[in-house]
Amino acid sequence: MASGKTHVGIGLVEKGVLGQVDLPTRSPGPDEVLLKVDYAALSAADGHAIDDNFYVLGYPSLVGLGAAGKVAAVGSNVDWIKEGDTVAAFTQPGFDRATQQYVIAPSSRVSKIPSGISPPEVAGLIDNFVCGWHTVSSSFGLPLPATIPSSSALDPEATSSPVLVWGAGTGAGTYMVQALRIAGYKTIIATASAKSAPTIQSYGATHVFDYNDPEVVTKIKQAAGGKPVKYALDPVCTQSSLDRVSKVVDTPGSKVALLIPIKFGSLKSVSEGGAQLLTDLPAEANPFAKGVEAVITRTFEWEANDQWKRTLLRDILPALLSSGQIKPQEVRIINKEPTLLERVKEAHRLMKNNELRGAKAVVDFNAA
């Protein structure tokens, strides 16, 4: 419901052009929360939207997935947070994205930030945390704990199976590794740059290999200790990563989770004559052996799992943050530019030019 008030938002106002827009400030519905945004994080999905018009359905099209700030109002059915609480939100596709002064979110997409935890770090991790958890559990069917601490031991046969995360230095890959470690998986094999390897090991990977190593496939198979690698997660999803993962995961009955978009061609943006961005894997381009299932992962479908919709952000994430079991990736707070629009543009520039080096760009809404 509109309140008659307006606020400022930043988004695409035409193809490839970021601009400032005035937006109506709505009151929350019964199951919603109104958040006054202090920090908004941009993700790889925003880069594809800005540079490649990927999943842009109209204008204005706001950007940013993770937001953190203070609760401004709650709906009549929301009784577990109150006005003034510090929270983060995994904002939803469409109008209610993070880069605006006030944003509405369903309460299932809101997480209370524990005392002593950095709000910009939670704004930076919330979308990738959901992606990692959803990919391992809902897309793959691998067990993850339903409560923190876990109320029961997970299936030892499942947790003894080697799992590969190709591209563990990506935002989503970071939290895939951590989800597996939290669940107690014994052999978590990851690829990353040589520089990122110590960080990925600190997240819980038991083996980390340089994806540029020409012997990487052989080394991964050796690390599996003679067991077939039947589960792999590929948040990178380029032709090169798919090809190499297919050489590791080659046993019928195996599964490979592919995080869209799947990128064919150059890693340059589509607008620069580079990659095709696909939402499915064409049969003619599928490199996997017969009997290996390629599972397409769409993070925004995570709420189809009713258990995670009820508990993942309300209960599990705060418990993991409080206990230190989740380690946030580094964030780069963007606060030097004089206007909000300029700060969002700077966050995009850093992403596009690969200057973040594994960090997440988080825009400060309160910078003078």
Side-chain angles (χ1 to χ4, degrees):
M1 179 185 301
S3 66
K5 299 178 181 178
T6 62
H7 62 269
V8 167
I10 305 298
L12 289 164
V13 293
E14 58 182 275
K15 185 176 179 180
V17 179
L18 287 167
Q20 178 173 308
V21 293
D22 290 325
L23 301 166
T25 306
R26 296 186 291 121
S27 299
D31 298 300
E32 293 179 328
V33 176
L34 177 65
L35 172 65
K36 181 183 181 299
V37 177
D38 292 326
Y39 300 97
L42 269 65
S43 72
D46 298 307
H48 291 311
I50 297 166
D51 297 327
D52 307 318
N53 214 42
F54 187 69
Y55 265 47
V56 175
L57 303 178
Y59 303 102
S61 181
L62 273 64
V63 294
L65 291 175
K70 301 286 189 184
V71 174
V74 298
S76 57
N77 293 336
V78 181
D79 59 4
W80 57 278
I81 52 175
K82 63 185 184 304
E83 185 177 340
D85 283 348
T86 302
V87 301
F90 178 23
T91 63
Q92 53 195 341
F95 190 71
D96 290 317
R97 295 290 291 274
T99 53
Q100 54 185 314
Q101 292 173 314
Y102 289 88
V103 65
I104 291 279
S107 61
S108 60
R109 287 176 165 262
V110 173
S111 190
K112 192 171 181 178
I113 300 177
S115 176
I117 303 297
S118 160
E121 287 186 341
V122 186
L125 72 80
I126 193 166
D127 61 316
N128 288 325
F129 168 76
V130 170
C131 177
W133 202 274
H134 166 69
T135 303
V136 172
S137 175
S138 301
S139 296
F140 244 16
L142 291 177
L144 289 176
T147 60
I148 303 296
S150 181
S151 57
S152 60
L154 298 181
D155 178 5
E157 182 177 349
T159 55
S160 66
S161 298
V163 182
L164 170 65
V165 180
W166 188 282
T170 63
T174 292
Y175 295 97
M176 292 172 184
V177 168
Q178 295 194 66
L180 292 164
R181 186 252 305 152
I182 290 163
Y185 285 82
K186 303 295 190 296
T187 307
I188 305 169
I189 306 170
T191 68
S193 68
K195 183 178 179 181
S196 299
T199 301
I200 304 306
Q201 285 182 308
S202 76
Y203 291 149
T206 56
H207 307 79
V208 184
F209 300 109
D210 187 341
Y211 47 70
N212 291 315
D213 185 342
E215 300 298 320
V216 65
V217 170
T218 299
K219 290 180 177 179
I220 291 170
K221 290 189 172 185
Q222 290 172 343
K227 294 181 178 181
V229 179
K230 299 184 70 173
Y231 301 101
L233 305 100
D234 184 358
V236 178
C237 277
T238 62
Q239 283 177 295
S240 174
S241 69
L242 294 176
D243 179 65
R244 285 181 284 180
V245 171
S246 73
K247 291 177 170 58
V248 175
V249 184
D250 53 10
T251 305
S254 301
K255 291 184 177 182
V256 179
L258 308 179
L259 182 62
I260 64 168
I262 300 169
K263 309 161 194 74
F264 279 12
S266 164
L267 292 183
K268 294 179 180 178
S269 70
V270 172
S271 61
E272 296 173 352
Q276 274 187 289
L277 302 179
L278 306 177
T279 57
D280 215 332
L281 181 62
E284 65 275 11
N286 187 339
F288 295 102
K290 185 177 180 180
V292 176
E293 182 183 1
V295 181
I296 301 299
T297 296
R298 296 174 174 87
T299 304
F300 289 121
E301 295 177 352
W302 71 282
E303 288 176 298
N305 183 313
D306 186 62
Q307 177 182 354
W308 300 141
K309 180 178 179 178
R310 287 184 287 105
T311 65
L312 186 56
L313 294 183
R314 174 174 171 168
D315 301 321
I316 292 177
L317 179 56
L320 291 172
L321 288 167
S322 294
S323 63
Q325 293 184 72
I326 278 286
K327 297 181 179 181
Q329 70 187 109
E330 180 187 352
V331 297
R332 182 88 60 86
I333 298 177
I334 312 302
N335 58 7
K336 304 298 184 189
E337 292 68 27
T339 68
L340 185 56
L341 175 59
E342 288 174 284
R343 293 195 288 277
V344 173
K345 285 183 174 180
E346 174 63 6
H348 169 244
R349 186 193 70 79
L350 291 170
M351 284 197 306
K352 183 172 183 177
N353 294 340
N354 197 29
E355 295 181 28
L356 292 169
R357 303 299 180 188
K360 194 76 170 279
V362 177
V363 176
D364 185 343
F365 269 58
N366 298 317

